[in-house]
Amino acid sequence: MNFEAIKAAAEGYKEDMSKFLRAMIAIPSESCEEEGVVKCIEAEMKKLNFDKVEIDGLGNVIGWMGDGEKIIAIDSHIDTVGIGNLANWTHDPYEGYETDEIIYGRGGSDQEGGMASAVYGAKIMKDLGLIPAGYKIMVVGSVQEEDCDGMCWQYIYNVDKIVPEFVISTEPTDGGIYRGHRGRMEIRVDVKGVSCHGSAPERGDNAIYKMADILQDVRALNENDDADETEIKGLVKMLNPKYNPEHYEDARFLGRGTCTTSQIFYTSPSRCAVADSCAISIDRRMTAGETWDSCLQEIRDLPAVKKYGDDVKVSMYMYDRPAWTGEVYETECFFPTWINKESAAHVQALVDAHKALYGDKRIGAPSAMDKRNRPLIDKWTFSTNCVSIQGRYGIPCVGFGPGAESQAHAPNEITWKQDLVTCAAVYVAAVNLYQGENKTDDVTEFRQSLTDNDIR
């Protein structure tokens, strides 16, 4: 394989990838509103002579190169979060701008940049005759990831009936090759109260006051230590072999679990009345050794939750928001933790490709390298579609994508043009260096157990 030819081809498409990315950024594409950017990607794939381009029932856009029986997939979610407070942006988040080095705008790093690299990586494979024998390349622009990580791949697996040999996620990796990340779940706590006239609050039972006690306990769960004398032991305990004897080493690799209150709701007859209900949402990030059930039980065991007894309900959210196509795929808001073995064939394919093309250290634009002085093989801090691909279904998954995690969901989001080039080249080399004969059934180092809910 001519690695210099691959690098030259990727560099030759730098301007085209930049133009394509800017076209995607210019189209607002929040979750469930991706139709415009899907059509933009479909048009680009057709322009580049993909062998087949289709849009499935959920609205995922899928491009195919090659005609083998086995599938290697490259996934990019093409929905974005909103822009938040426009005053925090120095330029229009959709019109954006570019320099010789960067592209500015919502979705550049998270993660339409990955889509640009994947599409042109597949194009280079066709140009150079580097679609591996017996394989076809599946380039996925997936929807609704920001709303419900991995639900798009539940649809691809269960409805489209597609099961790849392995998947490369193009989520931003700061120049690293990522083999796992923490899982997450969305927890809701509901508290009952009794309303009365605000002039005599003692006649009622204020649900907001009850929730105030619970909020302090949730905060303590995240912030406390795990000392013997600590009543609410903090989530840091999972890094301690005393509390997590089987999986503390994996937990140390992934990082400790966290929880934070992300939303609060209430009901009250008026501003002159005592609140008769209050609810919160908790964003719970899960490390190795934690289960969906243990996370719910931790909240149920908080002193303030126990104090208010049957007036408190702790549950897990379900997701049923319609896609841009109108399709509804209901699922639980549980996104399993996963880690691949560093020695797994699909991980090593990425490592070998990077070493052959660019060496064994992370590379990137000079302005980004201060954030990239980490090992080449590492893990994400946030969550990705791999919660379903690997976490739910055990399909081998590995991450390498343009941009930086720190840019995700932030105002003044940018990505680096050189990353687009680097990633496209690595995708080409990796699928050709993959040694399928070395694939084993034990590629997973850790995968969280699933719930007992009856979901598809």
Side-chain angles (χ1 to χ4, degrees), residues 8-62:
E11 192 67 40
Y13 280 125
K14 185 176 185 178
E15 183 177 339
D16 296 277
M17 285 189 280
S18 299
K19 183 179 178 182
F20 178 35
L21 176 54
R22 292 208 65 194
M24 288 188 283
I25 288 172
I27 304 169
S29 54
E30 293 181 36
S31 297
C32 308
E33 300 173 3
E34 304 98 338
E35 182 176 8
V37 77
V38 165
K39 297 297 176 62
C40 173
I41 294 164
E42 179 188 37
E44 191 79 6
M45 288 176 167
K46 289 181 176 179
K47 184 184 80 173
L48 297 178
N49 294 316
F50 271 63
D51 295 335
K52 182 181 179 183
V53 183
E54 58 188 332
I55 299 170
D56 71 9
L58 194 69
N60 300 303
V61 56
I62 303 172

Side-chain angles (χ1 to χ4, degrees), residues 153-217:
W153 270 89
Q154 290 186 48
Y155 191 94
I156 290 168
Y157 182 89
N158 290 313
V159 180
D160 296 340
K161 303 295 184 184
I162 297 172
V163 184
E165 176 91 352
F166 75 92
V167 180
I168 301 171
S169 168
T170 69
E171 287 268 17
T173 59
D174 294 278
I177 295 166
Y178 287 0
R179 64 183 182 96
H181 61 66
R182 296 176 302 167
R184 73 179 189 92
M185 63 188 296
E186 297 175 4
I187 299 172
R188 182 178 171 108
V189 181
D190 287 271
V191 177
K192 297 176 184 177
V194 178
S195 63
C196 70
H197 200 286
S199 64
E202 68 278 3
R203 297 173 184 163
D205 185 13
N206 197 316
I208 292 176
Y209 289 168
K210 292 178 177 178
M211 187 62 79
D213 292 342
I214 294 171
L215 286 168
Q216 292 303 314
D217 283 1

Side-chain angles (χ1 to χ4, degrees), residues 10-139:
E11 192 67 40
Y13 280 125
K14 185 176 185 178
E15 183 177 339
D16 296 277
M17 285 189 280
S18 299
K19 183 179 178 182
F20 178 35
L21 176 54
R22 292 208 65 194
M24 288 188 283
I25 288 172
I27 304 169
S29 54
E30 293 181 36
S31 297
C32 308
E33 300 173 3
E34 304 98 338
E35 182 176 8
V37 77
V38 165
K39 297 297 176 62
C40 173
I41 294 164
E42 179 188 37
E44 191 79 6
M45 288 176 167
K46 289 181 176 179
K47 184 184 80 173
L48 297 178
N49 294 316
F50 271 63
D51 295 335
K52 182 181 179 183
V53 183
E54 58 188 332
I55 299 170
D56 71 9
L58 194 69
N60 300 303
V61 56
I62 303 172
W64 299 91
M65 287 288 201
D67 57 7
E69 290 298 316
K70 295 182 179 180
I71 298 168
I72 297 174
I74 309 176
D75 177 65
S76 313
H77 78 77
I78 44 87
D79 60 321
T80 72
V81 295
I83 59 174
N85 183 355
L86 187 58
N88 289 332
W89 293 76
T90 58
H91 294 78
D92 186 290
Y94 299 115
E95 181 180 336
Y97 68 87
E98 65 179 299
T99 68
D100 289 343
E101 187 179 81
I102 68 165
I103 294 172
Y104 175 104
R106 177 55 86 217
S109 274
D110 188 20
Q111 58 118 154
E112 290 167 343
M115 188 79 249
S117 292
V119 166
Y120 277 84
K123 167 65 172 169
I124 294 166
M125 293 178 209
K126 189 170 187 177
D127 288 347
L128 300 184
L130 289 175
I131 298 172
Y135 287 90
K136 53 188 171 187
I137 307 301
M138 175 189 184
V139 179

Side-chain angles (χ1 to χ4, degrees), residues 252-365:
R252 289 177 179 179
F253 168 70
L254 292 174
R256 49 159 289 182
T258 59
C259 64
T260 189
T261 302
S262 55
Q263 295 177 321
I264 189 164
F265 319 94
Y266 73 94
T267 61
S268 177
S270 77
R271 290 199 299 271
C272 304
V274 166
D276 56 10
S277 79
C278 189
I280 59 170
S281 302
I282 298 173
D283 179 282
R284 179 65 159 89
R285 304 287 158 152
M286 303 173 293
T287 194
E290 297 175 319
T291 69
W292 67 277
D293 194 44
S294 72
C295 292
L296 290 175
Q297 193 60 44
E298 269 178 335
I299 302 300
R300 294 179 179 128
D301 287 341
L302 293 174
V305 172
K306 287 187 169 182
K307 174 182 175 182
Y308 295 118
D310 292 341
D311 287 345
V312 185
K313 177 185 177 184
V314 179
S315 60
M316 181 168 60
Y317 277 96
M318 297 293 289
Y319 182 82
D320 61 358
R321 191 176 173 196
W324 70 263
T325 60
E327 184 85 353
V328 174
Y329 189 97
E330 184 177 3
T331 191
E332 59 193 3
C333 294
F334 170 73
F335 312 94
T337 309
W338 63 280
I339 311 172
N340 274 307
K341 290 183 177 177
E342 192 169 326
S343 60
H346 66 294
V347 177
Q348 284 305 304
L350 271 289
V351 173
D352 293 343
H354 194 284
K355 288 181 177 179
L357 291 162
Y358 301 109
D360 60 1
K361 304 292 183 186
R362 295 192 190 209
I363 65 169

